[in-house]
Structures are given as structure tokens and as C-alpha cells.
């Protein structure tokens, strides 16, 4: 009876009115480490740390409760998930400095990249050609790097830290522009969002596009028009910015500690937000599909 009452308070879908968020899954379903949301082409939402660290939960389309999808090897804990156009899932394991992949139709994670000298892969983003960019913060040193991970001549993933023209802060949220030429990086310690031109295995032309209060930004995603959606952790909102950093709107959320977000739904215009405060997922509708959804469906 108690379970029935708890679920009854959670609406099946976010309200259809644009930019109005509603709680989607029950409170406490995910741990304090809830992060890394990603949606596949079938509309399934995947989120790390369902019930305990090291797991990945799956929320089916129209569902309001998650089920266990898989578990990473002992000691590994996911922090980010991205899914490419083939349906392959990539998971950043921040504890063991790994990138895992899960093939379409499977649930077993396979190690595809490891780097001892990486502090941690925190967030990742995928380019059109499958290149992985990973933020690598060193929280103690309040510094960070970006790694470029791509397939070498033998087909295996190879990676290295990208040369950059400035010393980064704690690189956290990361995503590409729709044309793949610009990489956006949020630095948590300073609250700054920087844009960089992608120049092969290097970053160029750094530009500070927005400064928020220190320690109030986490994950970020771009939509197909190039706008940035930024999780304002501790502020309880998603900030929507133009590509050059001008604020368009602030979307009020149901809880105060959003960690990350993902675009999904049949049209790619539903935004799913992971909430550390309460351990649940909430969602809202937007007016433009997400960049990653557009790449998955190969419509752009």
C-alpha cells in the first residue's frame, strides 16, 4: 500500500507545456551519485547508480520506475553515459579510469579504453565520426584536461590529453556544437563555461562565454540549434544559453541539485534531468531536439 501511494505522487510524463518540469521517477530510486543520463533510439533512458554504486538503471518509455540494466565490474562506478548512432553505449568509469562499451542488444560492459594517468573520465561526448571527448578534472588541484579518444589504425580506441592554450579549472560538463567544430566545457570550481575550436588533437581559440557563481554548474548538453542547456547544481534549474553564452531562460526544477541532463523522447524534445537531491529523474519538454538525438536518428 505504501508503494502504491508513493508511486501515485509521480506523474507518468512531464507536463506538455514547454519548459515546465515534473518528477518522473520515485524519490530515492537512485543513489547520491545519480548521473550520466542518456537515451537510446527506442526511447529508453539509462542512468548510473540505481540503488547502489556501479549499476546502470533503465527507464522504459512511458514507465515511471527504473529497472536494473547492468552492473559494471567490481570497483568501477559510472559517471557518464553516451550512445552513438549504431546504438553502442559508452560509459565513463571515474573510479578506475576506464571507458566501457556495451554493444546493441547486449548488457555486458566491455573495457575499450583505460589510462593510468587520467584523473578520472567525468563526462563524455561523442562526435559524428565516433570520437569521444572526455573531461578529466583533478578536484584536489582544481585543474582539468580534455581527452580525445578515437580509433587507431588497428581499430582499438586510443587516447591522449588534448593540448590546450590555457590552464583549465575542474573540467566537468562537456558537449559539442551541432557542426562538431566547437567544444563547450564547464569548469565547476570557477562556474565558467568555455568554448574551444576543435583542431585535430588540440583545442584552440579559448573563449569564456559565461560565468556563473563558483561550484554551481555540472553537466551540460547542446540542442540541434546550438543552444546550451546547463545543469545549475545547488540552484535547482537548467540555464539555457545561446552558443555565445547569452542567457535565454532559466528552467525551474523540482529539486535543487541537478547533476546532468539528456534529450530523448520520440522527437528528441524531452529533457531528462538527474537530481542528486532526492535521487530521482524529472523531465520537461523543449522546442528543439537534442544534438545527440539528432545524430542517433541520423536526421541531421
Amino acid at each position: 500500500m505504501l508503494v502504491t501511494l508513493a508511486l501515485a505522487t509521480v506523474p507518468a510524463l512531464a507536463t506538455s507545456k514547454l519548459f515546465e518540469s515534473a518528477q518522473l521517477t520515485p524519490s530515492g530510486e537512485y543513489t547520491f551519485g545519480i548521473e550520466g543520463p542518456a537515451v537510446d533510439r527506442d526511447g529508453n533512458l539509462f542512468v548510473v547508480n540505481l540503488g547502489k554504486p556501479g549499476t546502470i538503471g533503465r527507464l522504459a518509455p512511458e514507465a515511471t520506475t527504473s529497472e536494473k540494466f547492468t552492473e559494471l565490474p567490481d570497483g568501477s562506478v559510472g559517471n557518464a553515459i553516451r550512445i552513438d548512432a549504431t546504438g553502442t553505449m559508452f560509459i565513463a568509469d571515474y573510479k578506475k579510469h576506464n571507458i566501457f562499451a556495451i554493444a546493441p542488444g547486449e548488457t555486458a560492459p566491455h573495457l575499450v579504453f583505460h589510462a593510468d594517468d587520467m584523473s578520472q573520465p567525468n563526462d563524455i561526448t561523442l562526435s559524428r565520426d565516433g570520437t569521444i571527448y572526455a573531461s578529466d578534472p583533478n578536484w584536489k588541484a582544481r585543474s582539468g584536461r580534455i581527452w580525445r579518444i578515437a580509433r587507431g589504425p588497428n581499430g582499438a580506441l586510443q587516447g591522449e590529453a588534448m593540448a590546450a592554450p590555457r590552464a583549465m579549472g575542474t573540467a566537468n560538463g562537456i558537449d559539442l556544437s551541432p557542426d562538431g567544430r566547437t567544444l563547450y566545457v564547464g569548469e565547476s570550481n570557477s562556474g565558467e563555461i568555455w568554448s574551444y575550436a576543435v583542431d585535430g588533437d588540440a583545442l584552440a581559440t579559448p573563449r569564456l562565454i559565461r560565468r556563473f557563481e563558483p561550484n554551481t554548474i555540472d553537466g551540460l548538453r547542446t540542442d540541434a540549434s546550438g543552444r546550451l542547456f546547463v545543469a545549475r547544481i545547488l540552484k535547482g534549474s537548467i540555464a539555457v544559453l545561446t552558443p555565445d553564452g547569452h542567457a535565454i531562460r532559466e528552467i525551474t526544477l523540482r529539486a535543487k541539485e541537478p547533476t546532468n541532463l539528456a534529450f530523448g523522447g520520440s522527437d528528441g524534445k524531452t529533457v531528462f534531468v538527474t537530481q542528486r537531491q532526492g535521487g530521482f529523474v524529472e523531465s520537461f519538454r523543449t522546442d528543439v531536439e537534442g544534438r545527440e538525438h539528432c545524430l542517433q536518428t541520423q536526421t541531421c
Side-chain angles (χ1 to χ4, degrees):
M1 183 63 176
L2 289 176
V3 172
T4 301
L5 289 174
L7 295 181
T9 64
V10 179
L13 291 171
T15 111
S16 58
K17 188 174 180 180
L18 292 183
F19 309 115
E20 275 197 9
S21 194
Q23 185 172 339
L24 184 59
T25 65
S27 297
E29 194 177 55
Y30 288 86
T31 73
F32 188 77
I34 183 173
E35 253 282 10
V39 183
D40 67 13
R41 285 176 295 182
D42 296 324
N44 297 293
L45 171 68
F46 299 91
V47 179
V48 302
N49 300 324
L50 175 67
K52 68 174 186 176
T55 58
I56 296 176
R58 170 184 174 269
L59 183 72
E62 310 301 326
T64 57
T65 57
S66 304
E67 60 184 1
K68 182 179 174 182
F69 173 69
T70 193
E71 192 160 350
L72 300 179
D74 286 347
S76 292
V77 181
N79 197 75
I81 303 172
R82 294 289 172 104
I83 301 170
D84 71 11
T86 72
T88 301
M89 176 186 294
F90 294 92
I91 304 111
D93 164 22
Y94 81 98
K95 282 287 190 179
K96 296 290 187 176
H97 310 181
N98 297 322
I99 303 290
F100 291 102
I102 299 178
E106 298 183 6
T107 59
H110 302 282
L111 181 65
V112 292
F113 181 75
H114 171 84
D116 284 333
D117 57 341
M118 180 183 280
S119 297
Q120 59 168 277
N122 182 283
D123 204 356
I124 55 177
T125 189
L126 308 176
S127 71
R128 188 180 296 272
D129 67 2
T131 299
I132 300 170
Y133 296 91
S135 59
D136 181 25
N138 183 326
W139 298 99
K140 186 176 292 186
R142 300 171 71 82
S143 63
R145 299 175 293 179
I146 303 299
W147 284 66
R148 181 181 182 273
I149 303 165
R151 297 202 179 276
N154 63 356
L157 288 178
Q158 301 175 353
E160 61 181 354
M162 301 180 76
R166 57 174 292 272
M168 290 186 188
T170 49
N172 191 340
I174 184 173
D175 209 355
L176 288 159
S177 60
D179 63 8
R181 296 176 181 176
T182 301
L183 186 71
Y184 297 100
V185 181
E187 298 181 2
S188 288
N189 65 311
S190 65
E192 295 175 349
I193 298 177
W194 288 78
S195 70
Y196 297 88
V198 177
D199 184 14
D201 58 3
L203 297 174
T205 323
R207 183 184 176 201
L208 174 63
I209 66 166
R210 189 77 183 181
R211 179 182 287 115
F212 295 101
E213 298 96 323
N215 304 308
T216 64
I217 59 172
D218 203 325
L220 64 86
R221 297 284 176 101
T222 57
D223 69 14
S225 72
R227 297 181 306 185
L228 285 75
F229 286 62
V230 182
R232 300 293 318 282
I233 195 164
L234 305 181
K235 294 294 184 177
S237 66
I238 300 294
V240 183
L241 311 176
T242 63
D244 56 0
H246 293 293
I248 299 172
R249 67 173 67 245
E250 195 92 2
I251 301 163
T252 301
L253 300 173
R254 294 292 175 170
K256 292 293 185 182
E257 299 181 6
T259 56
N260 216 325
L261 62 142
F263 289 80
S266 60
D267 58 2
K269 297 179 183 179
T270 298
V271 177
F272 299 93
V273 182
T274 48
Q275 277 285 359
R276 189 173 70 182
Q277 182 189 49
F280 62 83
V281 177
E282 60 180 283
S283 65
F284 61 86
R285 294 284 292 165
T286 183
D287 54 348
V288 178
E289 95 178 286
R291 179 193 74 91
E292 192 168 30
H293 180 272
C294 191
L295 291 182
Q296 286 179 349
T297 57
Q298 298 182 327
T299 55
C300 59

